[in-house]
C-alpha cells in the first residue's frame, strides 16, 4: 500500500482544520445569510450581542491567529517541491479567504445589530413629558442670615468674613481678654495647636477689618463660632453668630440704641420695643444686654418668651479703648459700638422651635417645612 505524500498529508490537515472551523462557526451562520432572514435587534439584546462578538473574536484568533494550527500549516509550504508548493499555497489561500469572508460578514452583522441596539437604548422620546427636577431650598439658618444681612446692608453696613481658626492675639488679646480670663480655659475653647484656637466669637473679624480698613468703619460679621458647650435644646458646640461694629467720630450709646431699635423693627415689626440691661463684656465699656418685646404676645407673656414678655437679643456696648488701640485705631479720635446675637437662636424663636439641635440634624422631613 502506497504511503501518502507530504503534499497529501498537509492537504488533509488543511481540510480537517476547515471542517473544524465550519463546525464551530455554525453558531454564527445566522449572521451571514441574506439581510431579510437575519435576526432583528429586538431578538438580540445588547448583552447577547456583546457575548457573540467576543466569541467571534476568539474564533478568529483560534483559527487564524499567529499561534494557530493554520499558521503552522502555512509554514510547511516552503518544505514542499516547487510544483507542489504552488498548488498547495493556492489551496490554502482559497480556504483562508473563505474563512475570513465568513468571519468578516458575521462581525459586520453583529456590529450593525449592536449599534442599532445601542441607539435604541440611548434614544430619547422628546414627545414624552419630562421629569420635573426636584427643587431645593435654603436652610432656615441661611434664610435668617440673609434677612439679617439685608437689614444691615440697607443701613449702610458692609458684610465681612474671615478665618475660623485664630491666634490668641485675635481671639483674646485684641479683644481685651486678659491671660487669666475663664474664656481662655481649654474647658471653654477648642484649641488646635499652640497659639491657635477655633474662634469663639466673630469679634475676631472686627479686628481684622479695622486693621485692614482703618476707621471709620461700619460692618457686620456673620459666621460660625465654636465653644465647648454640651449640646442641649439651647446650646451647641458649633453655632452661627452675627456681630456688628460701627466706629467713627462722635459715636455714642444713643447710636447703638437707635440702630438696634431699627433692626428689631424691620425684623419683627414696628410695634417691637427694646430695653437695655447693664452687663459686662471685656471688649465693651459700658456694656448692656439687649431685650426686645415678644413678637408673639407683644409683651403680655407666652410660652415663647417664658411668660416674661421679653426675649434676649444679645450683648452690646461701646467698644473698649483697648480694643480700638489693638486694632490700630486711635481711641482719642474715634469711638464706636458693637453688638452680637445668635442667628440660630433667633431662627428658633421665629419658627417656634423647642430645640436648636433640629437645625443641625439635617433631617429632610424637618427641613422641607421651610420651602
Amino acid at each position: 500500500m502506497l504511503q501518502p505524500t507530504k503534499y497529501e498529508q498537509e492537504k488533509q490537515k488543511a481540510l480537517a482544520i476547515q471542517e473544524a472551523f465550519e463546525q464551530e462557526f455554525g453558531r454564527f451562520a445566522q449572521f451571514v445569510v441574506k439581510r431579510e432572514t437575519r435576526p432583528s435587534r429586538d431578538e438580540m439584546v445588547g448583552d447577547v450581542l456583546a457575548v457573540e462578538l467576543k466569541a467571534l473574536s476568539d474564533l478568529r484568533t483560534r483559527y487564524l491567529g499567529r499561534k494557530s494550527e493554520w499558521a503552522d500549516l502555512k509554514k510547511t509550504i516552503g518544505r514542499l517541491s516547487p510544483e507542489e508548493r504552488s498548488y498547495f499555497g493556492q489551496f490554502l489561500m482559497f480556504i483562508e479567504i473563505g474563512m475570513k469572508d465568513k468571519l468578516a460578514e458575521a462581525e459586520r452583522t453583529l456590529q450593525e445589530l449592536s449599534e442599532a441596539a445601542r441607539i435604541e437604548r440611548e434614544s430619547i422620546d422628546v414627545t414624552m413629558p419630562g421629569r420635573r427636577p426636584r427643587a431645593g431650598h435654603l436652610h432656615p439658618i441661611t434664610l435668617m442670615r440673609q434677612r439679617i444681612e439685608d437689614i444691615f446692608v440697607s443701613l449702610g453696613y458692609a458684610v465681612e468674613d474671615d478665618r475660623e481658626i485664630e491666634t490668641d492675639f485675635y481671639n483674646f488679646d485684641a479683644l481685651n481678654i486678659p491671660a487669666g480670663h475663664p474664656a481662655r480655659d481649654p474647658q471653654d475653647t477648642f484649641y488646635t495647636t499652640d497659639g491657635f484656637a477655633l474662634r469663639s466669637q466673630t469679634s475676631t473679624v472686627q479686628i481684622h477689618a479695622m486693621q485692614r480698613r482703618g476707621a471709620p468703619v461700619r460692618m457686620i460679621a456673620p459666621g460660625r463660632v465654636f465653644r465647648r458647650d454640651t449640646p442641649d435644646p439651647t446650646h451647641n458646640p458649633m453655632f452661627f453668630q452675627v456681630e456688628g461694629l460701627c466706629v467713627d467720630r462722635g459715636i455714642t450709646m444713643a447710636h447703638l440704641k437707635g440702630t438696634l431699635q431699627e433692626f428689631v423693627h424691620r425684623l419683627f415689626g414696628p410695634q417691637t420695643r427694646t430695653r437695655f440691661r447693664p452687663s459686662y463684656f471685656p471688649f465693651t465699656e459700658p456694656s448692656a444686654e439687649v431685650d426686645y418685646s415678644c413678637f408673639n404676645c407683644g409683651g403680655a407673656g407666652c410660652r415663647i418668651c417664658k411668660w416674661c414678655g421679653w426675649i434676649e437679643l444679645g450683648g452690646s456696648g461701646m467698644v473698649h479703648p483697648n480694643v480700638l488701640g489693638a486694632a490700630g485705631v486711635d481711641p482719642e479720635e474715634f469711638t464706636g459700638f458693637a453688638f452680637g446675637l445668635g442667628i440660630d437662636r433667633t431662627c428658633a424663636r421665629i419658627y417656634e422651635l423647642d430645640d436648636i439641635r433640629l437645625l443641625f440634624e439635617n433631617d429632610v422631613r424637618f427641613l422641607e417645612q421651610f420651602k
Side-chain angles (χ1 to χ4, degrees):
M1 185 176 179
L2 297 176
Q3 294 294 327
T5 64
K6 180 68 173 175
Y7 169 75
E8 291 174 339
Q9 291 176 349
E10 301 300 331
K11 186 175 181 180
Q12 290 300 319
K13 288 183 180 179
L15 292 172
I17 294 174
Q18 182 186 26
E19 183 179 359
F21 171 81
E22 294 293 344
Q23 289 179 353
E24 289 198 45
F25 187 77
R27 64 181 289 189
F28 304 104
Q30 59 180 326
F31 301 112
V32 294
V33 296
K34 294 181 180 180
R35 182 173 294 274
E36 56 270 15
T37 59
R38 293 175 181 173
S40 66
R41 65 171 180 266
D42 296 331
E43 300 171 354
M44 304 289 292
V45 297
D47 292 341
V48 174
L49 291 170
V51 171
E52 293 295 292
L53 278 169
K54 178 65 168 57
L56 186 66
S57 176
D58 292 342
L59 182 65
R60 175 185 282 107
T61 302
R62 191 159 56 251
Y63 281 94
L64 297 176
R66 294 180 180 181
K67 298 181 180 181
S68 64
E69 189 177 355
W70 186 261
D72 293 338
L73 186 61
K74 289 166 64 176
K75 295 176 182 178
T76 63
I77 296 177
R79 295 196 288 269
L80 299 176
S81 64
E83 184 179 352
E84 293 174 333
R85 188 184 307 163
S86 175
Y87 287 113
F88 189 61
Q90 293 179 17
F91 179 72
L92 293 184
M93 184 175 65
F94 177 77
I95 295 176
E96 184 173 333
I97 289 175
M99 291 191 292
K100 285 183 176 180
D101 286 347
K102 289 181 178 181
L103 289 168
E105 180 64 22
E107 182 179 29
R108 183 164 54 252
T109 302
L110 283 169
Q111 288 179 342
E112 289 176 358
L113 291 172
S114 179
E115 180 66 15
R118 185 189 66 80
I119 294 175
E120 179 71 20
R121 185 174 62 252
E122 297 179 358
S123 62
I124 299 175
D125 185 354
V126 295
T127 64
M128 292 181 63
R131 294 181 179 178
R132 187 182 298 275
R134 186 177 179 183
H137 59 91
L138 296 177
H139 191 278
I141 289 181
T142 304
L143 294 172
M144 179 56 57
R145 173 175 174 166
Q146 290 181 347
R147 287 181 62 182
I148 294 173
E149 288 178 356
D150 290 343
I151 292 173
F152 280 104
V153 168
S154 68
L155 295 176
Y157 284 70
V159 179
E160 295 275 353
D161 194 11
D162 217 296
R163 67 212 74 179
E164 294 180 348
I165 299 179
E166 288 286 5
T167 63
D168 278 350
F169 173 77
Y170 288 100
N171 217 18
F172 302 114
D173 296 337
L175 298 177
N176 200 36
I177 299 177
H181 196 278
R184 290 180 180 250
D185 195 299
Q187 295 182 355
D188 293 324
T189 301
F190 288 104
Y191 285 93
T192 56
T193 55
D194 292 341
F196 291 93
L198 299 182
R199 66 184 184 187
S200 53
Q201 60 271 323
T202 56
S203 303
T204 58
V205 182
Q206 299 175 358
I207 305 300
H208 286 291
M210 285 190 288
Q211 288 181 333
R212 183 175 63 254
R213 298 168 54 181
V217 60
R218 279 189 292 182
M219 50 82 67
I220 60 170
R224 293 186 301 179
V225 295
F226 309 87
R227 296 177 188 173
R228 300 191 66 167
D229 291 332
T230 301
D232 62 33
T234 58
H235 295 84
N236 215 48
M238 186 277 295
F239 58 97
F240 288 82
Q241 184 187 62
V242 57
E243 296 202 15
L245 174 71
C246 176
V247 175
D248 206 338
R249 297 176 180 87
I251 297 296
T252 67
M253 198 75 176
H255 297 100
L256 169 63
K257 296 180 68 174
T259 299
L260 294 182
Q261 180 71 61
E262 181 64 20
F263 168 69
V264 297
H265 282 178
R266 297 194 186 188
L267 187 62
F268 301 112
Q271 74 285 351
T272 309
R273 306 184 310 277
T274 58
R275 73 177 184 182
F276 288 74
R277 294 179 286 109
S279 186
Y280 167 77
F281 303 106
F283 31 81
T284 54
E285 180 62 37
S287 304
E289 297 278 1
V290 186
D291 303 328
Y292 59 92
S293 57
C294 180
F295 56 84
N296 184 60
C297 65
C302 67
R303 181 179 62 85
I304 294 178
C305 61
K306 299 180 180 179
W307 308 101
C308 69
W310 296 92
I311 298 175
E312 181 181 326
L313 178 67
S316 66
M318 300 299 295
V319 181
H320 198 288
N322 292 347
V323 175
L324 294 175
V329 176
D330 185 2
E332 298 295 328
E333 181 180 1
F334 294 96
T335 56
F337 63 78
F339 57 88
L341 60 109
I343 299 177
D344 38 11
R345 285 188 180 180
T346 304
C347 178
R349 293 188 186 108
I350 287 183
Y351 292 117
E352 300 184 21
L353 304 179
D354 294 328
D355 193 332
I356 65 170
R357 290 174 293 186
L358 293 170
L359 297 169
F360 302 99
E361 291 176 349
N362 293 326
D363 189 329
V364 176
R365 297 169 301 176
F366 170 76
L367 296 176
E368 283 180 341
Q369 303 177 63
F370 300 93
K371 288 184 178 179

